[in-house]
C-alpha cells in the first residue's frame, strides 16, 4: 500500500496545522508517528476502523484530533495549540491486517514519505 501525506509546514507556537494522508489500498487502521531530529520515532495518534477507536500519545492528547474515512482509506490529523516540541517529521502509517499494538511502530505495515512540521517559539 502506498501512502501520500500532505499538510506540513511552518507555524508559530499556539497555531494549527492539518495533516492528511491517503492510502492506495485497504487498511485496517491508520495512524501517525513523528520523529524529531536525533530522537526515535514516536507514536502520535491512530484510528482503528473496526470500531472507530482513536488513540493518542499523552503529549498530544487534547490538542490533536485524528479522523478518517475507512471507505476512502484516508486519515487526517488536526493539530492545535502547537508547541515547539511538536517539531518533527510526521509519518503516516497503516496496518493492512488486524494486529495488536497501537503504539509500536513495528506493528505497522507501510509508511508514507514523511512531512515536516516546524513550530517556532
Amino acid at each position: 500500500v502506498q501512502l501520500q501525506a500532505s499538510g506540513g509546514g511552518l507555524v508559530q507556537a499556539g497555531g494549527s496545522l492539518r495533516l492528511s494522508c491517503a492510502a492506495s489500498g485497504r487498511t485496517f487502521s491508520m495512524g501517525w508517528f513523528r520523529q524529531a531530529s536525533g530522537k526515535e520515532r514516536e507514536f502520535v495518534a491512530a484510528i482503528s476502523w473496526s470500531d472507530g477507536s482513536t488513540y493518542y500519545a499523552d503529549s498530544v492528547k487534547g490538542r490533536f484530533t485524528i479522523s478518517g474515512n475507512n471507505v476512502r482509506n484516508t486519515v487526517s490529523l488536526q493539530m492545535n495549540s502547537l508547541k515547539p516540541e511538536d517539531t518533527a517529521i510526521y509519518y503516516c502509517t497503516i496496518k493492512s491486517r488486524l494486529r495488536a499494538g497501537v503504539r509500536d511502530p513495528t506493528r505497522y505495515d507501510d509508511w508514507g514519505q514523511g512531512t515536516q512540521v516546524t513550530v517556532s517559539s
Side-chain angles (χ1 to χ4, degrees):
V1 176
Q2 293 184 332
L3 301 170
Q4 183 66 46
S6 61
L10 172 64
V11 66
Q12 289 187 332
S16 299
L17 283 174
R18 186 177 181 87
L19 305 182
S20 297
C21 179
S24 64
R26 184 182 181 186
T27 64
F28 278 88
S29 65
M30 298 183 74
W32 295 91
F33 282 71
R34 67 187 182 187
Q35 188 166 16
S37 180
K39 296 187 177 181
E40 293 186 353
R41 192 169 296 191
E42 65 173 1
F43 171 75
V44 177
I47 185 166
S48 174
W49 303 135
S50 61
D51 59 3
S53 294
T54 56
Y55 307 87
Y56 296 94
D58 288 342
S59 59
V60 307
K61 202 172 293 183
R63 300 187 297 121
F64 291 11
T65 303
I66 190 169
S67 61
N69 185 308
N70 63 325
V71 175
R72 297 181 179 180
N73 292 301
T74 58
V75 67
S76 294
L77 185 68
Q78 179 65 41
M79 305 184 294
N80 298 329
S81 301
L82 283 161
K83 304 175 181 180
E85 51 263 44
D86 294 318
T87 295
I89 299 174
Y90 284 69
Y91 295 91
C92 176
T93 185
I94 66 106
K95 291 182 183 179
S96 56
R97 49 188 166 134
L98 191 61
R99 268 180 167 180
V102 173
R103 293 172 172 79
D104 182 355
T106 67
R107 308 304 291 176
Y108 290 82
D109 296 297
D110 295 291
W111 296 81
Q113 81 283 9
T115 184
Q116 177 71 46
V117 171
T118 302
V119 184
S120 62
S121 57

